[in-house]
Structures are given as C-alpha cells and as structure tokens.
Amino acid sequence: MNTSNFYRGRRLRSSKSIRHLVRETDLLPRNLVQPFFVLESSDEKDFRPIASMPGQSQLAPAALEEEVARAVDLGLKSVILFGIPAQKNSQAGQAYAPDGIIQQAVQRLKKRFPALVVITDVCLCEYMDHGHCGIIQDQRVQNDPSLDLLAKTALSHAEAGADMVAPSDMMDGRVQAIRDLLDSRGFQELPLMSYAVKYASAYYGPFREAAQSAPSFGDRKTYQMDPGNAREALREAEADIIQGADILMVKPALPYLDIISALRNSFDLPVAAYQVSGEYSQIKAAAQLGWLDEKSVALESITAVKRAGADIIITYFAREILGWVAGNE
Ligand code: PBG
Ligand code: ZN
C-alpha cells in the first residue's frame, strides 16, 4: 500500500497547541449578548429563579444591577432586556410608559455601566393581557394598528438611553415604522437589530414561562415563520434591510444553522443568532440528569452557531462562557 499519497488530517490535530493554531472559529466575549428578565416589583431587590431555565431569574432593578455588575466583571459587553410588568392590558400600555420597567432598567444600567451595550427587546406580548405580539380585534392579531405601539415602545426605550432596539414582534412593516419615528425624534444614529427571521418555534416554551407571555388563545403562527421555510427567510431579511435594519437576527439558532449560513452568504449586514430558552434548557436538563456535559455541549453548540456565520450570539450561557473561554481549553 502506498501511504504517501493520502490526506493526513491528523497532522494538524496532534497536539493542543497545533489544534489551537489552526482553529477556524473562536467565541469572543465581545460577540456575546446576555438576556435578562427585568421584574417590576414593590421590592427592588426581588429575585425569582425561573424553574424551567436553571441559572436564570426574573430580577427587579436593584437585583439586575448586581447581576450585571458580576457579569461585567467577567467581561460581559452587551445585554438584551425583557420586561415583566406588574400591569398588562389590551393596549400594552406599560410597554411604552416613560416609567415602565424596561425604561427604568435602561436608565439605571446606563448610569452605572456607560460602556455596556444595552439592547432592548421591542415587543408587546409581555405587556398585553392576551399575550399576543400585536393588537387583537375579532380574535386576530391586527398588523397595521400594532405598528404605532411598537414604534412608541422603541422610542421610549431610546429616550431612556438604550443603545440599540430589537423588534421581535414579526409584524410586517415594523422596522420602517420604528425607524421613521426614531428618525423624526432625533434618534437617527440609534441602531436597530431586527428579529428578521423568527420562526414559530416550540423552543420558546421556557421563555414564555419566564416572561409570562404565553398567548391566552391560539398561537403565533400567523406572524412568526413556518419552520419548513428557508427561501422565505431571505425575503424577510431583504424586507427588513430595505426598511432600515442594521443587524439581521435568526432565531432560534442551532435548529436553523442553514438559515444563518444563507443570510451570511446573501447579505453583508452583521448577522445575529439567538440561542433561545429551549435550546438552553435542554442542555441544562440533560446536564442535570448526568446525560451530557454542560460546558462541552454549550461551547460546541455556540461554536457551531458562530461557524455557521453568526457574528453576534445572544445566549443565556453568555456569562458562563466568559468564565470558560478565559481558561481557553
Ligand atoms: C417575544 C419574544 C420571545 C422570545 C424573544 N422575544 C417569545 C415569543 O416570541 O414567543 C423568545 C426567546 C427565548 O425563547 O429565549 N416576542
Ligand atoms: Zn412578542
């Protein structure tokens, strides 16, 4: 047998140092975004662990500030905030109240951590008594009437000092509605990260418990995308680019690596991917049962998302990864 002519891939795997020398994909702290759930509570130190998301909690503003301080010490550069208001109604009034829970949290975080990138999720579901992402009439989510409320919500986040707004509602035209209102109020420079490609996914289950935002009837399939569709992802992304999105997000992440890759190859905007609650919880659950090694699986899954083409990764593991990659194994 002639052994001189076959490819010897093992040459570059023979030691840890050589493997590191040729590694193509690295997770960097500056690319990671940690989500936080901000709780409106009479006790500003209130702290409620989320049963289905071990390690994550609903945090009242003072508790949030302490958690963020610990994460910033570890090297966290960016957060995305979700609100859990005390009051919900049919017009999502607390989503755009100047003293709403997100507006308070943004002010507080920007004051203490001026360099932290504070992104806000812009949606109505957590603030609606029915839990849908838009206004309901005749048992249907109404698209155009919802745009005003979404734009007002984004503006109120901007006025509170947010560094970036991220609409996640999946109403048509919302990027343009938000961009127009922000521009007309002097926020031309504020970046917008669109949840451009958001699938109607069962992986959001734990989040809906965490954010108390499950729809009280029906589902989100009339506005979020069908998991079987890939070409449609390009149409959604293109629509958002035309309307003024600065960053395109794909969500969930690991089950949609093909979509991340397609966006990366089709467009030149930064691409973000959201490793959602169910992706996080399934790793945590398997680890608790002793069936998977948490750290290895978390790092592998997030590296895969980066390798597929995501520049920015939103993950509930962000804080833990900061500790892990510092060791750099
Ligand atoms: C709200 C929103 C959801 C998530 C982010 N923003 C839930 C949903 O659309 O039902 C999911 C995040 C996660 O599962 O971690 N529109
Ligand atoms: Zn929503």
Side-chain angles (χ1 to χ4, degrees), residues 37-41 43-47 58-65 101:
F37 298 98
V38 196
L39 177 67
E40 186 168 1
S41 168
D43 171 8
E44 65 162 24
K45 293 194 172 136
D46 209 348
F47 180 105
Q58 302 175 340
L59 302 162
L64 171 73
E65 193 176 320
I101 186 62

Side-chain angles (χ1 to χ4, degrees), residues 121-126 131-133 168-169 198 220 223-224:
D121 182 86
V122 174
C123 202
L124 305 174
C125 49
E126 298 109 289
H132 277 288
C133 303
S168 69
D169 53 284
K198 179 174 179 181
R220 303 208 202 286
Y223 41 108
Q224 299 179 350

Side-chain angles (χ1 to χ4, degrees), residues 22-322:
V22 299
R23 180 179 286 170
E24 299 175 28
T25 307
D26 268 317
L27 295 178
L28 301 172
R30 65 181 170 81
N31 299 131
L32 301 174
V33 182
Q34 172 80 42
F36 285 103
F37 298 98
V38 196
L39 177 67
E40 186 168 1
S41 168
S42 50
D43 171 8
E44 65 162 24
K45 293 194 172 136
D46 209 348
F47 180 105
R48 301 186 196 162
I50 299 160
S52 57
M53 298 178 71
Q56 310 297 317
S57 302
Q58 302 175 340
L59 302 162
L64 171 73
E65 193 176 320
E66 287 327 300
E67 286 265 326
V68 171
R70 273 193 286 279
V72 166
D73 281 345
L74 285 170
L76 187 71
K77 307 291 182 201
S78 183
V79 300
I80 184 165
L81 304 180
F82 297 90
I84 307 163
Q87 314 282 347
K88 301 179 191 244
N89 62 30
S90 66
Q91 300 298 311
Q94 286 303 306
Y96 43 86
D99 61 347
I101 186 62
I102 285 297
Q103 293 79 359
Q104 289 178 40
V106 168
Q107 282 168 22
R108 192 165 179 141
L109 290 182
K110 286 307 296 180
K111 192 164 172 207
R112 169 120 178 236
F113 313 101
L116 184 72
V117 179
V118 176
I119 306 168
T120 56
D121 182 86
V122 174
C123 202
L124 305 174
C125 49
E126 298 109 289
Y127 306 88
M128 289 288 201
D129 47 19
H130 48 66
H132 277 288
C133 303
I135 289 177
I136 297 285
Q137 247 170 45
D138 309 325
Q139 298 284 100
R140 298 271 306 172
V141 176
Q142 305 294 319
N143 196 87
D144 296 11
S146 303
L147 299 179
D148 268 354
L149 301 189
L150 290 160
K152 271 162 73 169
T153 301
L155 177 64
S156 74
H157 296 175
E159 286 171 339
D163 295 297
M164 192 183 297
V165 291
S168 69
D169 53 284
M170 289 299 279
M171 297 301 119
D172 295 323
R174 93 282 197 177
V175 171
Q176 188 176 320
I178 291 171
R179 190 73 265 167
D180 283 354
L181 185 61
L182 289 175
D183 290 359
S184 73
R185 300 298 187 90
F187 292 102
Q188 297 91 338
E189 306 284 317
L190 194 83
L192 189 156
M193 172 163 68
S194 176
Y195 286 68
V197 183
K198 179 174 179 181
Y199 287 92
S201 172
Y203 286 94
Y204 306 152
F207 174 97
R208 291 180 189 170
E209 182 205 317
Q212 291 157 8
S213 66
S216 60
F217 66 91
D219 53 41
R220 303 208 202 286
K221 291 181 184 166
T222 68
Y223 41 108
Q224 299 179 350
M225 288 172 54
D226 186 330
N229 294 358
R231 294 188 302 270
E232 186 187 357
L234 300 181
R235 296 202 295 278
E236 285 285 345
E238 198 169 359
D240 284 4
I241 293 171
I242 291 168
Q243 292 173 41
D246 302 290
I247 300 174
L248 302 171
M249 192 201 298
V250 175
K251 174 185 178 191
L254 201 64
Y256 296 90
L257 294 182
D258 56 329
I259 308 298
I260 296 172
S261 173
L263 257 66
R264 169 72 298 139
N265 294 328
S266 305
F267 305 107
D268 54 12
L269 263 55
V271 172
Y274 196 144
Q275 183 185 51
V276 301
S277 55
E279 295 180 76
Y280 172 82
S281 297
Q282 65 185 1
I283 294 173
K284 284 280 179 185
Q288 284 184 357
L289 286 164
W291 292 352
L292 285 178
D293 179 62
E294 177 179 342
K295 176 179 165 182
S296 311
V297 173
L299 286 171
E300 183 177 333
S301 63
I302 296 163
T303 299
V305 171
K306 181 115 191 249
R307 190 196 64 231
D311 304 293
I312 300 165
I313 300 168
I314 304 167
T315 169
Y316 300 95
F317 283 114
R319 278 175 295 189
E320 283 166 280
I321 291 169
L322 296 171

